[in-house]
């Protein structure tokens, strides 16, 4: 199968927040959640895309979670529900924003060709607290889980490839 990627996003971990802040949402935290779109080809390795990283390698990234994928079809719903009309691709921390696929249409084990790369659906995503923290909406991760619009992960069965 061929995956139609609308946007590729990457970002490196950074430390945010203010020490001793009264509001827990303002306290220091480390995240690789903030992703920026890139143009053209990029290298895809067995654990991530070039220029991308995760702050918590115990729970994020790695061989089974090399690429986070999110359905573009979900964005109109979230823009309306969250009253964020400018919510752009990458807002859910995903690396690939894809067309014509959702959690209902992909299955664990599905294999896709992306440029020279071949990827395989490895598992559904379970959004963590960092999604809520990123958007300062305390129950956003729970909202995403309840809708089933969580996204999914790709593993890279072989070595390095350029994608797109």
């Amino acid at each position: 199968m061929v995956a139609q990627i609308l946007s590729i996003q990457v970002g490196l971990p950074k430390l945010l927040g203010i020490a001793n802040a009264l509001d827990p949402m303002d306290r220091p935290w480390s995240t690789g959640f903030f992703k920026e779109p890139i143009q053209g080809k990029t290298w895809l390795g067995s654990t991530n895309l070039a220029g991308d990283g995760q702050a918590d390698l115990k729970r994020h990234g790695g061989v089974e979670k090399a690429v986070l994928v999110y359905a573009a079809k979900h964005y109109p719903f979230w823009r309306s529900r969250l009253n964020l009309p400018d919510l752009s691709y990458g807002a859910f921390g995903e690396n690939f924003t894809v067309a014509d696929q959702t959690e209902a249409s992909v299955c664990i084990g599905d294999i896709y060709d992306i440029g020279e790369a071949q990827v395989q659906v490895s598992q559904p995503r379970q959004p963590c607290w960092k999604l809520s923290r990123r958007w300062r909406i305390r129950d956003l991760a729970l909202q995403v889980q309840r809708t089933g619009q969580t996204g999914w992960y790709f593993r890279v069965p072989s070595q390095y490839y350029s994608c797109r």
Side-chain angles (χ1 to χ4, degrees), residues 122-141:
S122 58
Q123 61 186 282
R125 175 201 198 182
Q126 182 178 5
C128 74
W129 62 271
K130 292 184 179 190
L131 176 61
S132 300
R133 186 83 179 265
R134 161 64 179 99
W135 294 105
R136 299 184 64 85
I137 301 170
R138 293 189 192 280
D139 69 339
L140 183 56

Side-chain angles (χ1 to χ4, degrees), residues 88-103:
S88 60
Y89 295 155
F92 290 84
E94 77 269 18
N95 300 112
F96 292 170
T97 310
V98 298
D100 304 324
Q101 296 164 325
T102 68
E103 295 79 1

Side-chain angles (χ1 to χ4, degrees), residues 2-136:
V2 176
Q4 183 184 5
I5 299 174
L6 300 178
S7 184
I8 297 176
Q9 295 80 217
V10 298
L12 294 173
K14 57 175 116 178
L15 182 61
L16 303 168
I18 303 163
N20 303 315
L22 294 178
D23 185 342
M25 288 281 212
D26 293 328
R27 293 182 186 149
W29 63 303
S30 179
T31 185
F33 195 95
F34 292 83
K35 308 291 186 194
E36 295 293 327
I38 59 170
Q39 300 299 317
K41 290 185 177 185
T42 190
W43 287 98
L44 172 60
S46 61
T47 58
N48 62 9
L49 289 161
D52 194 53
Q54 299 79 31
D56 178 358
L57 293 175
K58 185 175 179 181
R59 293 175 188 87
H60 300 285
V63 174
E64 295 299 309
K65 299 178 182 178
V67 178
L68 176 57
V69 185
Y70 201 70
K73 183 177 181 177
H74 299 329
Y75 272 89
F77 170 81
W78 290 113
R79 287 176 183 134
S80 174
R81 182 172 182 147
L82 302 176
N83 195 27
L84 294 170
D86 297 327
L87 200 65
S88 60
Y89 295 155
F92 290 84
E94 77 269 18
N95 300 112
F96 292 170
T97 310
V98 298
D100 304 324
Q101 296 164 325
T102 68
E103 295 79 1
S105 63
V106 300
C107 294
I108 293 173
D110 285 352
I111 295 174
Y112 296 89
D113 293 322
I114 301 172
E116 297 170 21
Q118 191 172 74
V119 296
Q120 184 177 41
V121 177
S122 58
Q123 61 186 282
R125 175 201 198 182
Q126 182 178 5
C128 74
W129 62 271
K130 292 184 179 190
L131 176 61
S132 300
R133 186 83 179 265
R134 161 64 179 99
W135 294 105
R136 299 184 64 85

